[in-house]
Amino acid sequence: MVRVSGEGSGQRVNPTTPSLCNGRRRQCLRRLQCHRPGYRQVVQDAYVTLIGLAHGSSGAKRLVAQFIPKFFTHFPTLYEKALDALLDLCEDEELVIRTVTIKNLPSLVKNSRDLLLKITDVLTQLLQAEDSEELNTVRQALLAVIRLDPKGSIMMIFGSSLKQKDLREKTLEFLAADLMPLRGELFAKNDGLEKLFAEEIKKVLNDVNSSEFSILVQMLLKLQLYEKNVAARQELVDALIAQLPTETFDPSDEDAIRKVLACAKVVIPILESGVSSATLLTFFINRILPPDRFSRVADKQKTSILRPFVDCLRLAGPKEEGVKVMVPHVKQLLLDNVALPSPNAADSITAAEEVKIDFSRVECIAFACYLTSMRVPEAMNGEELAARFRVLYQASQNNVSKLKTALSVHKQQKEAEELLKQPRLRNKLILHPSWKAPLPPPKAVPAPNPAPTPIKSTPAPQDAKRKATETGQQQQQQPLLKKAKQQQPTPTGLGGAKQQGRNNQSHSGANSNANTKHQQQQQQQQQQLAAVPVKVDQKLYVPPAARGA
């Protein structure tokens, strides 16, 4: 045999060297030992010793949890002892030992399908674990077992675990949260598994409460079998209503009413897709609506049970036979829940205020009367019913006015609260650190002196009279000057031009003389005004122009 070494030497190596044949020697030795007399018993005794270590130290328990599943199939006679040891480890106080053991349980089913039912039952009981890490490990292990044998494991879960009330809640939670997301993978690979799953759910519906009933029905509706098939949905509705007790139904049992409400909550959305509501309507008419049975329902559940009944009546066909049978029951409901006022009332408003009405309940009854009269027009005839409707109308009007008043008051209160919630201006905070010297107080800034207001001097009365006479004389002379200019003849030729030039010179000289006279007069007036003293703030004030005089 030629072998190239790792160094790339390419030299021939002796096949008997230890570096070549260690692996083969071990295999040969194992085969020889297996056929050696008494070797089987030695290995079995070692396995029994390993099983006995399940009650040893913490490290020994971890080894047991790993190696018992590994050699489990080699010792069929020790199945019971090995399984008991593993179950003891599943109940150990240490979380690590429990999780390691639970992870290795599906390997027992992989090698021996005879243990499927036992391992499935054990893992289902372990769903009651309180630790989140352990619970997650249990769910993963149970899913691994279901993948190995879906039919057997699902039948085991529904056959044993769901019949135990203490395990039912955890098992349903596992089926809804973990198994249903894998329905496409599981049901597609196994023919008939979806139908088997639906049949197992229907068998359990009789023994569950209202909340569990709702979970199971929601799982049924998610199946592909009932998604778009109207006939299958009709069959499902009939099967669900058949689970409700008929002869033994007691209206005074609150749990029974809750179960009916859960069934109606699931069934009514199915009825809206075109499925007939005759089965559910018949149940309401025969088991709940008769006066002697409806009076036994708890007061807090009467309104709740009337709402699905009205929805069922709304979805009923126009020629439904059960509607005529229902007419006297609906009439009696209206008479019992809307009482007539006393005849001594002053007016209709006062009479309506005296009557106490549960508007939520009466709303359902009034809508049922409306739906009934649509199918049977003569059903609501009669003066007695008309009087009830008048009282109901007046009471509703009074209630509407009270509600409007209450809403306005509430709106005002809310606005006042919003005003109080507005942010206020915060006072400026000045910090004074202890390790720093205090700041000197700010110096006071003197207020600026107000500027003196200018005082207008009033002219003397003699100057005012003189000024008025001068302006009057000027106004009288202006029209005379204009008239004299117009009467002067316009000279012609060269002599006329010379004469015109002389006239212009004489006129300009007269104007300049008049301007100089006027300026002299103004200066004289200012000097006289400056010499006159003026009183300001009861003190003699002398203008600056007169101080040098």
Side-chain angles (χ1 to χ4, degrees):
M1 177 179 179
V2 180
R3 178 178 178 272
V4 180
S5 63
E7 289 81 3
S9 59
Q11 59 185 351
R12 187 179 297 273
V13 182
N14 189 359
T16 60
T17 55
S19 60
L20 283 174
C21 298
N22 284 338
R24 288 189 176 182
R25 283 181 179 180
R26 290 171 185 169
Q27 292 179 3
C28 293
L29 288 174
R30 287 174 185 171
R31 290 175 183 174
L32 291 173
Q33 289 174 356
C34 290
H35 292 86
R36 191 173 60 186
Y39 176 75
R40 182 77 178 176
Q41 186 64 35
V42 172
V43 177
Q44 186 172 348
D45 293 342
Y47 190 69
V48 172
T49 305
L50 181 65
I51 293 174
L53 292 175
H55 301 283
S57 62
S58 176
K61 290 178 181 179
R62 295 186 186 183
L63 291 175
V64 171
Q66 293 176 3
F67 286 105
I68 285 182
K70 186 175 182 179
F71 300 102
F72 186 81
T73 56
H74 297 288
F75 305 97
T77 57
L78 299 175
Y79 277 0
E80 293 295 330
K81 290 184 178 180
L83 186 59
D84 291 341
L86 292 176
L87 295 182
D88 291 339
L89 293 178
C90 289
E91 298 175 350
D92 195 81
E93 295 180 356
E94 294 188 21
L95 176 63
V96 178
I97 297 174
R98 295 200 303 269
T99 53
V100 172
T101 308
I102 293 168
K103 283 181 181 178
N104 294 320
L105 285 179
S107 62
L108 304 181
V109 181
K110 187 183 298 183
N111 299 322
S112 176
R113 297 297 177 92
D114 298 335
L115 297 173
L116 173 70
L117 300 182
K118 293 182 179 180
I119 300 300
T120 305
D121 188 21
V122 169
L123 290 174
T124 308
Q125 293 184 32
L126 289 174
L127 289 172
Q128 302 177 80
E130 297 179 355
D131 187 80
S132 59
E133 181 181 355
E134 182 181 1
L135 181 59
N136 188 28
T137 306
V138 172
R139 289 181 173 181
Q140 295 299 324
L142 189 54
L143 286 176
V145 173
I146 292 174
R147 285 190 176 95
L148 293 173
D149 191 353
K151 289 186 179 180
S153 56
I154 287 175
M155 290 182 67
M156 181 62 191
I157 291 172
F158 280 96
S160 63
S161 302
L162 286 179
K163 290 182 180 180
Q164 303 178 22
K165 293 183 179 180
D166 53 346
L167 287 176
R168 189 181 298 160
E169 182 181 356
K170 296 292 184 179
T171 307
L172 286 177
E173 184 180 350
F174 165 75
L175 292 175
D178 297 324
L179 182 63
M180 289 305 293
L182 300 176
R183 62 184 183 277
E185 174 188 348
L186 294 175
F187 299 157
K189 296 179 180 179
N190 301 274
D191 297 335
L193 183 60
E194 185 177 15
K195 189 174 182 180
L196 174 66
F197 187 74
E199 293 297 330
E200 292 294 331
I201 290 178
K202 291 177 184 177
K203 291 178 184 178
V204 186
L205 289 175
N206 285 326
D207 301 328
V208 296
N209 56 25
S210 57
S211 59
E212 296 166 352
F213 184 88
S214 178
I215 294 173
L216 289 170
V217 175
Q218 291 295 335
M219 291 167 58
L220 277 175
L221 294 176
K222 290 180 181 178
L223 298 178
Q224 191 175 2
L225 184 64
Y226 300 108
E227 278 187 351
K228 297 180 180 180
N229 192 347
V230 179
R233 287 191 165 221
Q234 182 66 59
E235 180 183 355
L236 176 62
V237 169
D238 296 339
L240 293 177
I241 298 172
Q243 304 301 324
L244 299 176
T246 54
E247 301 297 333
T248 61
F249 181 75
D250 185 11
S252 60
D253 186 4
E254 295 185 5
D255 190 54
I257 295 294
R258 281 195 291 268
K259 191 172 182 180
V260 174
L261 292 173
C263 179
K265 184 179 180 180
V266 174
V267 168
I268 286 174
I270 306 176
L271 299 180
E272 294 179 350
S273 63
V275 180
S276 174
S277 63
T279 311
L280 184 59
L281 186 61
T282 304
F283 178 84
F284 274 108
I285 293 172
N286 296 332
R287 302 298 167 190
I288 296 177
L289 286 183
D292 57 335
R293 301 181 70 85
F294 189 79
S295 59
R296 293 162 56 189
V297 180
D299 289 338
K300 60 182 180 181
Q301 291 183 329
K302 286 183 178 180
T303 305
S304 302
I305 201 66
L306 284 174
R307 287 171 181 167
F309 160 67
V310 173
D311 289 333
C312 184
L313 181 59
R314 175 177 58 85
L315 297 170
K319 296 182 180 181
E320 193 68 43
E321 296 180 358
V323 177
K324 293 183 179 180
V325 182
M326 181 189 62
V327 171
H329 302 333
V330 176
K331 283 184 176 180
Q332 191 62 39
L333 285 175
L334 183 64
L335 295 176
D336 293 342
N337 289 275
V338 182
L340 289 175
S342 61
N344 299 327
D347 53 0
S348 60
I349 299 176
T350 307
E353 289 178 353
E354 293 178 356
V355 179
K356 295 182 179 179
I357 298 176
D358 186 353
F359 284 95
S360 300
R361 188 185 306 172
V362 174
E363 179 186 7
C364 299
I365 298 172
F367 191 39
C369 293
Y370 167 73
L371 295 173
T372 306
S373 61
M374 286 180 63
R375 293 165 175 80
V376 185
E378 66 277 5
M380 295 297 137
N381 294 339
E383 181 60 29
E384 191 174 10
L385 294 177
R388 293 316 199 272
F389 281 117
R390 284 194 293 269
V391 173
L392 179 60
Y393 172 76
Q394 191 61 51
S396 62
Q397 292 296 322
N398 296 344
N399 197 21
V400 167
S401 62
K402 291 179 182 179
L403 286 174
K404 288 182 178 179
T405 305
L407 286 174
S408 63
V409 173
H410 177 70
K411 185 178 180 181
Q412 294 175 0
Q413 293 177 354
K414 191 174 181 180
E415 291 176 353
E417 291 176 358
E418 289 179 355
L419 290 175
L420 293 175
K421 290 179 181 179
Q422 289 182 358
R424 296 180 180 179
L425 294 176
R426 189 174 67 88
N427 296 329
K428 186 177 180 180
L429 180 63
I430 301 175
L431 298 177
H432 299 286
S434 58
W435 63 88
K436 291 185 178 181
L439 297 175
K443 295 181 180 180
V445 180
N449 295 327
T453 56
I455 301 173
K456 295 182 180 181
S457 58
T458 56
Q462 297 177 358
D463 297 337
K465 290 180 180 180
R466 187 187 305 162
K467 190 174 182 180
T469 54
E470 289 179 356
T471 53
Q473 292 177 0
Q474 290 178 2
Q475 290 176 0
Q476 291 177 1
Q477 291 177 1
Q478 283 178 0
L480 296 175
L481 293 172
K482 288 181 181 180
K483 189 175 181 180
K485 289 179 180 179
Q486 291 175 1
Q487 291 178 357
Q488 288 180 359
T490 55
T492 58
L494 183 59
K498 291 179 179 180
Q499 184 66 31
Q500 187 176 1
R502 294 192 191 108
N503 293 335
N504 291 337
Q505 290 178 2
S506 62
H507 182 67
S508 60
N511 289 336
S512 61
N513 294 330
N515 290 334
T516 53
K517 291 181 179 180
H518 183 65
Q519 290 176 0
Q520 293 175 359
Q521 292 176 358
Q522 287 181 350
Q523 290 177 0
Q524 292 177 1
Q525 291 177 2
Q526 289 177 0
Q527 292 176 1
Q528 292 176 1
L529 290 173
V532 177
V534 181
K535 281 188 178 183
V536 177
D537 295 337
Q538 298 180 357
K539 292 182 180 180
L540 185 62
Y541 177 77
V542 179
R547 289 175 187 173

